[in-house]
Amino acid sequence: MSSILSKRYLCLSCQVENTEVREILIAKLSEIGIEAFEEQPTGLLAYHVLESKLKEKLLEIIEPLSQSFGFEYSFSEVQNENWNAIWEQNFRPIQIDGFCNVRASFHPKVDSYPIDIIIDPKMSFGTGHHATTQMMIKLMRTHNWKNKHVLDLGCGTGILSILAEKLGATSIIAVDNEVWAFENAKENVNKNSCHQINVQLAEINELELSQFDYILANINKHVIVSNFELLIKHIVPKGVIFLSGILKTDKEDILQLVDKSNLKVDQNMYQAEWMALSLFNK
């Protein structure tokens, strides 16, 4: 972890109070690989490893949105250690439907929740606070995971893989293409005493995959559309693909792909400006 901790990160701060505008910003920034967000009462912070041309890429997206919605923004640099300290100050437990309690390791366990998940985020998106992750958890709850083989694409903190094992899955491959997500997922897997999760650092097209009963893809529309055929290729008959990270406005684009496939919509869910789907392989 020392090489990761020594890196610097670019922080984009947007002064946006409107929830709908924040959701649009998160969706647009996610499409170019930004995965670490912090929502505050008066704005949104987005973080990414400081790299060549990053600021220019962000400006191409943020400047038109700033003009359209009338908000101010600024950039700053931050050390990873500082970013984690910010997370600890603001990270709060989240309870989902009396079923799942997601907490940091410094929060006490709540015995009334059947599922207890410890997540200590380190520059990773997917702590349970965002609508897309919450909807995935709710969709997962309605299925039988006992002895299932699972693929988690864009695993982030590893939260969905951890939930899958706690629900009974016996073989889980968790994949992310970001080093800090890979390292963080491994840490969180260990903190939750999980033993059935194989965390891998790779691009989707680099993977040598078998067939899976369930595929989890809480990513974004662009990645989902680009890899839709791959998802279909690796889901077993009567298997289920869970999709999130999709804006409501992109619903028809996703459904067009579904209509051309052997999949059918099992469930759909909406929260804020986001939607999530479970797709059954007929």
Side-chain angles (χ1 to χ4, degrees):
M1 287 292 289
S2 59
S3 61
I4 299 173
L5 294 175
S6 64
K7 288 184 178 180
R8 296 188 66 82
Y9 296 84
L10 186 67
C11 173
L12 168 64
S13 175
C14 301
Q15 302 305 307
V16 179
E17 295 187 28
N18 185 287
T19 301
E20 293 184 3
V21 177
R22 288 189 192 184
E23 301 293 351
I24 292 171
L25 287 173
I26 291 173
K28 296 297 183 183
L29 292 171
S30 296
E31 289 182 356
I32 63 166
I34 309 299
E35 295 184 329
F37 299 93
E38 179 188 347
E39 295 193 62
Q40 298 182 326
T42 59
L44 175 73
L45 302 180
Y47 302 87
H48 199 274
V49 176
L50 189 58
E51 57 188 31
S52 176
K53 305 295 184 181
L54 174 61
K55 192 171 182 179
E56 289 83 350
K57 287 167 61 178
L58 290 171
L59 283 170
E60 288 179 5
I61 292 175
I62 208 69
E63 180 59 26
L65 292 173
S66 171
Q67 293 181 12
S68 296
F69 295 109
F71 63 85
E72 296 183 355
Y73 63 89
S74 61
F75 294 97
S76 61
E77 293 184 18
V78 61
Q79 289 281 5
N80 191 39
E81 297 95 326
N82 296 336
W83 188 89
N84 291 328
I86 293 170
W87 259 111
E88 288 193 8
Q89 292 171 11
N90 293 281
F91 189 86
R92 66 194 186 284
I94 183 165
Q95 291 84 33
I96 299 176
D97 294 349
F99 155 69
C100 179
N101 182 54
V102 183
R103 63 185 175 92
S105 56
F106 49 83
H107 293 132
K109 181 180 179 182
V110 181
D111 291 332
S112 58
Y113 286 84
I115 300 294
D116 179 67
I117 298 178
I118 300 171
I119 296 294
D120 285 337
K122 300 259 191 321
M123 291 299 298
S124 298
F125 188 40
T127 58
H129 289 82
H130 195 264
T132 59
T133 308
Q134 291 183 29
M135 287 189 291
M136 289 288 276
I137 292 172
K138 291 175 181 179
L139 288 175
M140 289 174 68
R141 183 185 184 184
T142 64
H143 290 263
N144 177 15
W145 294 79
K146 188 175 181 180
N147 298 323
K148 300 298 184 183
H149 297 275
V150 180
L151 173 64
D152 183 4
L153 289 175
C155 65
T157 59
I159 182 172
L160 299 181
S161 291
I162 293 165
L163 176 59
E165 177 167 335
K166 288 178 179 285
L167 289 173
T170 53
S171 175
I172 304 156
I173 296 178
V175 182
D176 208 290
N177 62 358
E178 296 285 0
V179 174
W180 68 75
F182 168 70
E183 296 287 354
N184 189 215
K186 289 196 298 182
E187 291 178 8
N188 289 323
V189 164
N190 289 332
K191 286 175 183 175
N192 286 273
S193 300
C194 292
H195 304 288
Q196 310 301 325
I197 302 171
N198 176 10
V199 184
Q200 298 186 20
L201 175 64
E203 298 288 346
I204 294 176
N205 57 10
E206 297 174 348
L207 297 170
E208 294 184 6
L209 300 174
S210 57
Q211 298 296 100
F212 298 91
D213 300 299
Y214 294 142
I215 296 178
L216 304 166
N218 182 20
I219 33 186
N220 61 59
K221 175 197 169 184
H222 173 71
V223 178
I224 289 170
V225 170
S226 300
N227 295 279
F228 200 73
E229 292 301 321
L230 181 146
L231 299 180
I232 295 172
K233 178 181 177 182
H234 292 289
I235 193 73
V236 301
K238 302 188 183 303
V240 181
I241 299 173
F242 299 81
L243 302 179
S244 194
I246 307 164
L247 285 169
K248 289 179 182 178
T249 52
D250 294 324
K251 176 180 178 179
E252 291 307 316
D253 292 339
I254 300 298
L255 291 182
Q256 285 180 14
L257 292 174
V258 175
D259 290 341
K260 296 175 183 177
S261 71
N262 196 46
L263 303 173
K264 71 172 184 178
V265 176
D266 175 44
Q267 295 182 76
N268 52 47
M269 191 172 292
Y270 303 92
Q271 189 170 329
E273 295 302 303
W274 301 91
M275 67 175 294
L277 300 167
S278 57
L279 305 175
F280 179 73
N281 190 22
K282 294 180 283 187

